[in-house]
Amino acid sequence: MRTARDERLHELTLAYMEKDLLGTRWLWTVLLLMGIGILMTWFDSVLLTLLFPVAFLGSNLRYQVKKRQILESYVGEELATTYWQFWLVQNVVLSVTFAILLILTVDLSFWQIWGTILIILIPIYVVSEWWFKRRIRRDDPDFVSDQEVYKNV
């Protein structure tokens, strides 16, 4: 017999597998990122790197909408809205931080730019995920994180 957590994990895994072409086919993602790299070279603008977060958000949006619908049936609209709002705020903060860092480091070399960005963005992401999981697990004992869904795919 399946537990509520196993059932939720199964439904979220199916939703993740059904998401748009950009998110499910790594080849399309690689081609998109290569296209952004070509545009950066062609137009000689590092600011086109801002398309990276846009590409990620675009590829993940369909899954997040489906995830919200699934969670509403399990935890109710209020908690599902909390999940959704956290995802949205976290991604906006990470994208804005990325853009600010990119603009501030545009005069550095490629490796210095990406090193600086990763040194700052990774801790922000890790701390925000840790805080969110700790907070949500108090309210929802059957909580399933996106990382668990990705591992289950």
Side-chain angles (χ1 to χ4, degrees):
M1 187 167 163
R2 279 187 167 167
T3 64
R5 187 177 192 293
D6 291 338
E7 192 173 310
R8 189 185 309 180
L9 178 62
H10 177 70
E11 284 192 41
L12 289 172
T13 300
L14 291 176
Y16 183 78
M17 290 168 50
E18 292 173 3
K19 76 180 196 167
D20 61 338
L21 186 65
L22 183 63
T24 56
R25 312 251 184 205
W26 64 270
L27 177 63
W28 291 108
T29 304
V30 169
L31 290 175
L32 176 69
L33 296 178
M34 285 174 50
I36 293 171
I38 291 169
L39 286 174
M40 286 171 52
T41 305
W42 194 17
F43 291 112
D44 196 28
S45 174
V46 177
L47 293 180
L48 284 171
T49 310
L50 297 176
L51 293 175
F52 287 123
V54 172
F56 170 74
L57 291 175
S59 69
N60 203 15
L61 186 62
R62 184 172 170 199
Y63 167 67
Q64 292 297 332
V65 169
K66 183 77 172 173
K67 176 182 171 183
R68 182 177 178 178
Q69 293 169 348
I70 291 169
L71 289 177
E72 282 179 359
S73 66
Y74 284 99
V75 296
E77 189 175 337
E78 185 178 327
L79 198 53
T81 301
T82 301
Y83 285 12
W84 172 263
Q85 289 171 344
F86 175 79
W87 176 80
L88 195 59
V89 168
Q90 180 189 34
N91 281 283
V92 167
V93 166
L94 289 172
S95 297
V96 167
T97 305
F98 177 78
I100 290 169
L101 289 172
L102 188 63
I103 291 168
L104 291 176
T105 60
V106 75
D107 296 331
L108 301 175
S109 73
F110 177 80
W111 296 111
Q112 289 174 325
I113 291 172
W114 282 102
T116 303
I117 288 172
L118 292 177
I119 287 172
I120 294 173
L121 285 183
I122 288 174
I124 292 172
Y125 173 77
V126 168
V127 167
S128 65
E129 279 293 312
W130 170 80
W131 175 80
F132 177 70
K133 287 177 186 175
R134 195 187 77 181
R135 182 172 167 246
I136 290 298
R137 283 198 172 115
R138 280 185 288 165
D139 299 333
D140 181 13
D142 296 325
F143 172 72
V144 176
S145 70
D146 285 347
Q147 290 82 10
E148 291 174 273
V149 173
Y150 302 149
K151 287 177 188 175
N152 200 38
V153 170

